[in-house]
Amino acid sequence: MLNQLINLVKENAGDAIINNPSIPNERNNEAIQTAARSLFNSLQGQAKGGNLNAVLDMFKGNENASSNPMVNNISSGVAGDLMKKFGLDNAAAASIVNQLIPAVMDKLKNKTNDPNDNSINLDQIIGALSGKKGGGLLGSLAGMLFKRK
């Protein structure tokens, strides 16, 4: 799943990272990697911290990621990591995550729900976030809950 997140961040990094004067061009790839890893770690922390249902809810329904409270929490974590790693101020980091994280989460949700896109599915996400390959029982249970929509 981390590779999918890196690719989604890279696809959406345009104005947020690539064309951002706060991130030196020679560090663009490092910023993409940092944002993707931080996003993954935040999702994993939420899932392992007892918020699995809230994580699953992000991948259901029709709401945009920007209106999901969990995405706001995740964005805060990513912003904090970017501030530490690149010496950004709060406004610069917030600008990056506000452009990047909702777009990445919406695309991840769309990929997960697209029957014609088998690059990532809910079982893979739950498996990655729970640390169990393929999701195991947790992924199976989550998959059953997810299909009930």
Side-chain angles (χ1 to χ4, degrees):
M1 177 179 168
L2 181 58
N3 286 335
Q4 285 93 343
L5 284 175
I6 291 170
N7 288 333
L8 288 172
V9 170
K10 195 178 292 186
E11 288 171 15
N12 292 280
D15 287 337
I17 294 175
I18 306 298
N19 299 324
N20 189 332
S22 297
I23 304 285
N25 286 337
E26 64 274 8
R27 296 189 74 192
N28 285 343
N29 194 48
E30 186 181 359
I32 289 167
Q33 299 281 328
T34 299
R37 280 193 179 89
S38 181
L39 175 56
F40 177 79
N41 290 338
S42 293
L43 284 169
Q44 191 173 51
Q46 292 291 327
K48 288 184 174 182
N51 291 327
L52 178 60
N53 286 334
V55 172
L56 291 175
D57 286 345
M58 281 194 309
F59 295 101
K60 296 191 271 187
N62 295 321
E63 78 176 11
N64 289 329
S66 59
S67 61
N68 187 305
M70 184 171 291
V71 173
N72 293 332
N73 292 341
I74 290 167
S75 293
S76 293
V78 175
D81 288 346
L82 289 170
M83 288 189 312
K84 285 181 215 167
K85 182 108 179 181
F86 297 95
L88 301 175
D89 64 24
N90 191 40
S95 175
I96 291 170
V97 298
N98 289 338
Q99 292 176 64
L100 189 62
I101 302 306
V104 169
M105 292 305 297
D106 280 336
K107 287 192 177 177
L108 181 61
K109 181 177 82 169
N110 291 340
K111 285 176 138 324
T112 303
N113 290 304
D114 184 351
N116 298 315
D117 185 345
N118 63 2
S119 64
I120 191 158
N121 61 46
L122 188 64
D123 196 45
Q124 291 168 319
I125 291 171
I126 298 302
L129 297 180
S130 67
K132 297 177 181 170
K133 190 171 184 169
L137 178 60
L138 180 61
S140 297
L141 291 172
M144 288 189 292
L145 289 170
F146 187 71
K147 289 181 181 180
R148 289 187 185 170
K149 289 186 186 180

